[in-house]
Amino acid sequence: MKIRKELWFGFTLMALIVAGVLGMLVSVQEITNGHIGLVMLALVVVAIMLGFPTAFTLMGMGMLFAYFAYHSGGQTAGGAMRQTLDLMVQRAYSVMASDVLIAIPLFVFMGYLVERANLISKLFTSLHLALARVPGSLAVATLVTCALFATATGIVGAVVTLMGLLALPPMLRAGYDVRVSAGVITAGGCLGILIPPSVLLIVYGATAGVSVVQLYAGAFFPGIMLAGLYILYVIIIAKVKPALAPPLTAEQRVVPLPAPLLALGVTGDRYAVPALMAALKGKRNADVSTRYLLQQLFVALLPLLLFLVVALMSYRAATTVEAAPAESGLQQIGGEPSAAPSEGGLQEPPAGADEPEQGGLAEPPSDDKLAEPPSSNSGLAEPPSEPAAAASAQAPAVQEPATQAVAEPPAATAQVPLAGEAATSKPASSTYWIGLAMGAVALLVYYALLSFSRLEIFKMLLASFFPLLIMILAVLGSIVFGLATPTEAAAVGALGGFILAAAYRQLNLTMVKESVFLTAKTSAMVCWLFVGSAIFSAAFALLGGQALVEQWVLGMELTTVQFLVLSQIIIFVLGWPLEWTEIIVIFMPIFVPLLDNFGVDPLFFGLLVALNLQTAFLSPPVAMSAFYLKGVAPKHVTLNQIFAGMMPFMGIQVLAIVLLYNFPAIGLWLPQVLYGR
């Protein structure tokens, strides 16, 4: 029987792992529990590669080696078993009590609802018609659709499978190379594990103790950067080698016009707004209702109306001056009296006072102290001179008794509203006028090019692109700007999925039952992975494996750059045999404790890992996106062609990691602006 190449690769990798473990055991002078922990880690990787369920493999190995750790520490067999079972219960409870994990089923449910709303097919059609003149337009439209769909779902299998059904046949019919088509779909489908709301970021945040909100804000621009690099690569390929991604023909770019517009005698290249306005007041609308023409004109003028609303709102924001908080003596009473001068006797009570700490205005030392301040030359009612009056004006709240302090501040506070009223508005800045001019120019260009064909494309985008975009912005915006927690935003997203499915008349009991079943299946898999990972990590720490790894890494005396390069190479190699879930739950508890020793921000490390784990779906032999695509691709598309098409995009992912490392602001700028990191 002939064994496939990917199986040979897997067996070779397993043999190298086993050989490395045996070599380690032979080379050490004394085998400690820490070395047994490393053996456990190697056995888990080999067992997963052999096809054993990841979650139950982690739990089984964790309990077995935890029992060994307790028993080798001097416990009896019964005591070790009780401690092992207690460890299992405690770890499982701590995982299930995590509030962060509640967002996972809600986001997954939102994704399945959007997938079944029949929205993606309309989105792909409208995008590839809107981008018809861009080189490699079908591939570019596929990548944009994948990015938007990935943002709405975060489920790689769903995106790759659906886009394989929608985009692969049109690309092959248009003469696209099989490898380019397969690479675009598989790489675009993997964007869901990086672009928020990503389940990977939730899992990493719960594992590493990093805020999911800050991870979402940090991953936003790296995700856009990676999608932009994909699009740039496709455009360059289409320009340099048009045979790999030929442009659409004139027939493929034709947009059919509705019958009422055809009744007006218009063509696709005719300007829309002047023709509609002429039809309203002419005899050409005899067969077309005025209501229909007004509806079409309203849709055509919708960008102009939106521009006017945004311009007015931004002008108001740019010219309004916020009133500064009033600063008066009333604000200083009881605030920090110790910071004021201590000439009036309230700050420095006599030596015989029992409680000097309770001085100030609340409890003065004595009644006669209030009546006769120690400074006999300074009267409260009749100040002797202008300097003394100036001194009392500077610190009226502290130097004078409480009754006098409450009576005098109105003169100071009365001046604050006058100053605020004098500065309620200001001229708009030059930045505002420049932005307004750029928007006006873009609007003029839009209407100069708005033909009836482009109007139909705009209507298709209104029906497919903008509803999905509004839902995405509502979910991500509420999270990033602190209006809602990830769990609350996920609930809003699930409601948005319901609304979209109902709006497109796809909401029925069968669809909801399928979505609920798939959500429960996916969520159960993730939660059991967390339980298994928690038990495995506890056993690994009990054996001393974590301490041994830290001792080994620190003994190498690596610099921060060398540590990051080594860790990313290890994660890159682990992406070949393992999936991202296994890498996160098994290896992140090993890497994260090392970050403090090298001064690496866990948020920045998580962004590097998220970019790196894109390769887990594109690297053989366990390139799951390749198998997803193969399951729906035509028979003549081979697995080797899919693998070959993914290789350039793996190189782009490595380039993205290098760019993020050299320019950390790509990922850290937005969290710093929003949360002051």
Side-chain angles (χ1 to χ4, degrees):
M1 183 180 66
K2 185 177 180 180
I3 301 179
R4 294 183 299 178
K5 293 181 180 180
E6 54 269 21
L7 292 180
W8 276 116
F9 179 82
F11 288 140
T12 303
L13 193 58
M14 284 190 291
L16 290 175
I17 294 173
V18 173
V21 172
L22 293 177
M24 177 198 66
L25 295 177
V26 172
S27 62
V28 298
Q29 297 179 353
E30 180 183 359
I31 298 177
T32 63
N33 280 358
H35 297 97
I36 301 299
L38 295 180
V39 172
M40 176 184 69
L41 183 62
L43 288 177
V44 165
V45 174
V46 172
I48 292 172
M49 292 177 64
L50 289 174
F52 288 94
T54 303
F56 298 105
T57 301
L58 289 172
M59 281 189 285
M61 289 283 188
M63 293 185 66
L64 179 64
F65 281 88
Y67 174 81
F68 173 80
Y70 285 125
H71 190 56
S72 63
Q75 293 285 342
T76 62
M81 180 58 68
R82 282 194 301 272
Q83 286 184 311
T84 302
L85 294 177
D86 288 342
L87 177 68
M88 176 183 177
V89 173
Q90 291 170 1
R91 290 290 176 164
Y93 178 78
S94 65
V95 169
M96 295 307 171
S98 174
D99 295 335
V100 177
L101 299 181
I102 302 175
I104 293 178
L106 293 171
F107 276 131
V108 173
F109 185 56
M110 177 187 73
Y112 283 122
L113 287 174
V114 172
E115 177 192 354
R116 282 158 174 73
N118 197 23
L119 185 66
I120 305 304
S121 59
K122 298 178 181 179
L123 177 62
F124 174 70
T125 302
S126 59
L127 283 176
H128 96 256
L129 288 174
L131 302 171
R133 299 185 182 276
V134 177
S137 57
L138 281 174
V140 173
T142 301
L143 288 170
V144 175
T145 305
C146 284
L148 290 170
F149 191 26
T151 306
T153 63
I155 306 168
V156 173
V159 178
V160 174
T161 301
L162 188 57
M163 294 308 300
L165 292 171
L166 292 177
L168 186 59
M171 283 195 285
L172 295 180
R173 286 197 300 268
Y176 277 59
D177 183 74
V178 174
R179 293 168 296 179
V180 173
S181 304
V184 165
I185 294 174
T186 52
C190 295
L191 290 170
I193 66 175
L194 174 62
I195 299 178
S198 166
V199 176
L200 180 146
L201 296 178
I202 299 176
V203 175
Y204 175 82
T207 304
V210 182
S211 169
V212 176
V213 175
Q214 295 184 10
L215 282 171
Y216 277 2
F220 186 73
F221 286 117
I224 293 178
M225 177 188 69
L226 186 59
L229 289 175
Y230 289 163
I231 293 173
L232 181 63
Y233 168 75
V234 168
I235 292 176
I236 292 174
I237 287 295
K239 290 291 289 184
V240 175
K241 296 181 179 180
L244 297 178
L248 295 177
T249 62
E251 292 78 11
Q252 293 171 327
R253 294 200 298 265
V254 171
V255 180
L257 299 180
L261 293 181
L262 293 176
L264 295 175
V266 301
T267 57
D269 55 353
R270 187 175 176 183
Y271 291 115
V273 175
L276 289 173
M277 295 180 69
L280 278 173
K281 58 182 180 179
K283 297 181 180 180
R284 296 182 179 181
N285 62 346
D287 298 329
V288 182
S289 66
T290 304
R291 180 180 179 183
Y292 178 82
L293 292 175
L294 288 174
Q295 289 176 348
Q296 299 300 309
L297 186 61
F298 174 76
V299 172
L301 295 178
L302 196 58
L304 176 61
L305 298 176
L306 181 62
F307 174 78
L308 293 176
V309 171
V310 172
L312 291 175
M313 293 178 63
S314 58
Y315 179 79
R316 182 177 180 182
T319 56
T320 302
V321 177
E322 296 183 0
E327 296 182 0
S328 65
L330 286 176
Q331 295 182 351
Q332 298 177 1
I333 293 177
E336 292 183 3
S338 60
S342 57
E343 298 175 4
L346 292 176
Q347 290 287 328
E348 299 178 1
D354 294 333
E355 295 178 2
E357 297 174 355
Q358 296 179 358
L361 298 178
E363 297 181 4
S366 63
D367 294 339
D368 56 347
K369 198 65 177 178
L370 285 174
E372 297 179 3
S375 180
S376 59
N377 295 328
S378 60
L380 293 176
E382 297 179 2
S385 61
E386 294 181 359
S392 63
Q394 292 178 0
V398 178
Q399 293 183 4
E400 298 180 357
T403 56
Q404 185 70 16
V406 174
E408 291 192 3
T413 56
Q415 297 177 2
V416 175
L418 294 176
E421 290 175 359
T424 54
S425 63
K426 63 178 181 180
S429 64
S430 58
T431 304
Y432 168 79
W433 294 114
I434 292 174
L436 186 68
M438 293 175 62
V441 170
L443 198 66
L444 289 174
V445 173
Y446 170 78
Y447 280 108
L449 299 175
L450 185 61
S451 61
F452 277 101
S453 295
R454 292 190 174 93
L455 179 60
E456 291 303 310
I457 295 173
F458 178 69
K459 289 161 58 178
M460 295 169 65
L461 289 173
L462 278 179
S464 59
F465 176 76
F466 291 104
L468 187 61
L469 184 64
I470 291 173
M471 187 188 75
I472 293 169
L473 292 178
V475 172
L476 296 185
S478 61
I479 295 175
V480 171
F481 291 104
L483 302 177
T485 64
T487 303
E488 294 167 345
V492 173
L495 177 62
F498 262 110
I499 295 174
L500 282 179
Y504 288 92
R505 300 180 180 179
Q506 300 295 322
L507 186 63
N508 53 64
L509 183 60
T510 302
M511 187 267 279
V512 174
K513 286 172 59 178
E514 291 177 356
S515 301
V516 170
F517 173 75
L518 292 173
T519 300
K521 183 178 178 181
T522 304
S523 304
M525 180 269 293
V526 173
C527 291
W528 278 117
L529 271 175
F530 261 99
V531 173
S533 169
I535 297 172
F536 177 84
S537 301
F540 190 70
L542 284 172
L543 289 170
Q546 181 66 46
L548 187 64
V549 170
E550 291 184 9
Q551 181 182 357
W552 172 65
V553 173
L554 295 177
M556 297 173 66
E557 298 182 353
L558 300 173
T559 64
T560 302
V561 177
Q562 292 170 339
F563 168 74
L564 286 175
V565 171
L566 176 64
S567 61
Q568 296 306 315
I569 289 176
I570 292 174
I571 293 172
F572 181 80
V573 174
L574 289 172
W576 296 351
L578 303 177
E579 295 187 31
W580 69 264
T581 49
E582 298 153 355
I583 295 174
I584 291 291
V585 299
I586 297 175
F587 291 96
M588 287 307 104
I590 298 175
F591 282 116
V592 170
L594 295 170
L595 300 181
D596 288 338
N597 298 310
F598 295 95
V600 178
D601 186 357
L603 172 62
F604 181 66
F605 187 77
L607 299 180
L608 289 174
V609 170
L611 270 175
N612 200 341
L613 287 179
Q614 298 279 316
T615 60
F617 282 89
L618 299 183
S619 54
V622 191
M624 293 306 299
S625 58
F627 295 103
Y628 292 143
L629 181 60
K630 176 59 180 172
V632 296
K635 293 183 179 180
H636 68 274
V637 177
T638 65
L639 202 57
N640 289 334
Q641 288 177 316
I642 298 176
F643 283 149
M646 294 188 305
M647 291 301 109
F649 292 93
M650 284 186 64
I652 294 174
Q653 291 168 356
V654 175
L655 174 62
I657 296 173
V658 174
L659 289 175
L660 179 60
Y661 175 77
N662 286 283
F663 304 99
I666 298 174
L668 299 180
W669 177 79
L670 191 57
Q672 288 173 353
V673 170
L674 296 177
Y675 313 113
R677 284 188 59 87

